[in-house]
Each structure stands twice: as C-alpha cells, then as structure tokens.
Amino acid sequence: LLQRMRIFICTVFVIASAWTSGQPNKGKADIYSLSIPRNIQQCFSALDKTMSDQEINLIKTLPEDSLYGNKKFQNGTNFFHAWNLYGGSELTKYFHKKELHGAYEIYKTILISYHRYLNKTEIDLDDQIKRHRAEQEANQ
C-alpha cells in the first residue's frame, strides 16, 4: 500500500510539473497583479510582462487592420478587463483626454499601438484617434 501511495504521489507530481511547464505564460506576470497603466507606454511595458509569447507573436505578425477581427482578440483579452477599459480607470481617462471614447475603441487602439511598438514602427496615436473619431461620426 505504501509503495502504491508513493507511485501515485510521484505520478501526480510528474503530471503537475509537465502541465505547468507547458503553460504559455510560464514566467510571465498575471495582468491582474500589475497596476493599471496610466498611458500608452506603460501599456506596452505591462503587455510585454504579461502576454504569452504566442499572443505577442500573433499581435506582431497579423496585419494591424485585422487584429480586432481575429477570434483571439474579438471579445477582449485579459487586459481589457484588468485595466477596466469600460469604466473610469486612469487609463480610460488618459484616452478620454485625447478625445477617444468607447471601451472597444480604446482596446483596438491599444492593440494597434502594441502591434506598431512590437514592429518598431511609428505609433502615431493622434492619427489613430482621428480615424476612430471619423469612423464614429460616420456611423452616427
């Protein structure tokens, strides 16, 4: 009986070790454990620390105009909720001061900006916001 217990415990340990080593965010911080960013640069730092390598690679390689349309990002990733983009967080206020309103518009802007940051291209946040405002006005 003791031998069976040892085998069982070792098996559970091996399975648990294999499962945790295969996790995509291994070694990454939990987005909920970090402070909500206050600006776009702080967003990049937090996303670097928390997104899995697979998510980062996907954001980097997808064309920016198809990021939000991708199934992985359509319903919001963890940062959408952790950063309270639908509420009154400091980050939301930052975007409101730049005249960008709407949680999903802010979310899309962060995704596109992060894509540009990863690809070392100009972020041009003001131009992105102008495009979102023009889209919003056209849809009214």
Side-chain angles (χ1 to χ4, degrees):
L1 182 64
L2 187 57
Q3 183 65 20
R4 285 185 183 177
M5 288 287 284
R6 285 183 185 151
I7 291 171
F8 175 76
I9 291 171
C10 287
T11 303
V12 169
F13 179 74
V14 168
I15 290 170
S17 295
W19 183 77
T20 57
S21 68
Q23 295 301 304
N25 275 2
K26 187 174 185 218
K28 298 278 188 159
D30 179 6
I31 192 78
Y32 291 95
S33 70
L34 302 177
S35 300
I36 296 174
R38 297 170 87 76
N39 59 49
I40 196 72
Q41 292 299 325
Q42 289 180 4
C43 289
F44 302 154
S45 176
L47 293 172
D48 284 346
K49 292 175 187 170
T50 59
M51 288 199 128
S52 72
D53 293 340
Q54 294 157 331
E55 288 172 316
I56 289 172
N57 189 49
L58 187 59
I59 290 172
K60 186 175 182 176
T61 57
L62 281 173
E64 70 178 45
D65 60 351
S66 67
L67 281 168
Y68 183 69
N70 184 282
K71 287 191 313 186
K72 174 74 178 160
F73 303 112
Q74 260 181 347
N75 296 319
T77 59
N78 287 346
F79 79 81
F80 178 85
H81 302 288
W83 295 347
N84 194 16
L85 295 182
Y86 44 83
S89 70
E90 289 299 316
L91 184 59
T92 304
K93 292 175 187 173
Y94 164 80
F95 282 105
H96 288 179
K97 286 178 187 171
K98 294 188 168 292
E99 297 186 30
L100 181 64
H101 302 278
Y104 281 98
E105 287 75 11
I106 293 170
Y107 173 68
K108 287 191 275 188
T109 300
I110 293 170
L111 280 175
I112 290 170
S113 298
Y114 191 55
H115 166 83
R116 292 178 180 185
Y117 159 82
L118 291 171
N119 287 293
K120 297 176 179 34
T121 59
E122 185 180 2
I123 293 161
D124 202 353
L125 191 57
D126 291 333
D127 185 59
Q128 289 185 66
I129 292 170
K130 284 178 191 174
R131 274 191 287 144
H132 283 299
R133 282 199 319 247
E135 287 174 16
Q136 287 173 333
E137 290 172 11
N139 290 330
Q140 288 181 354

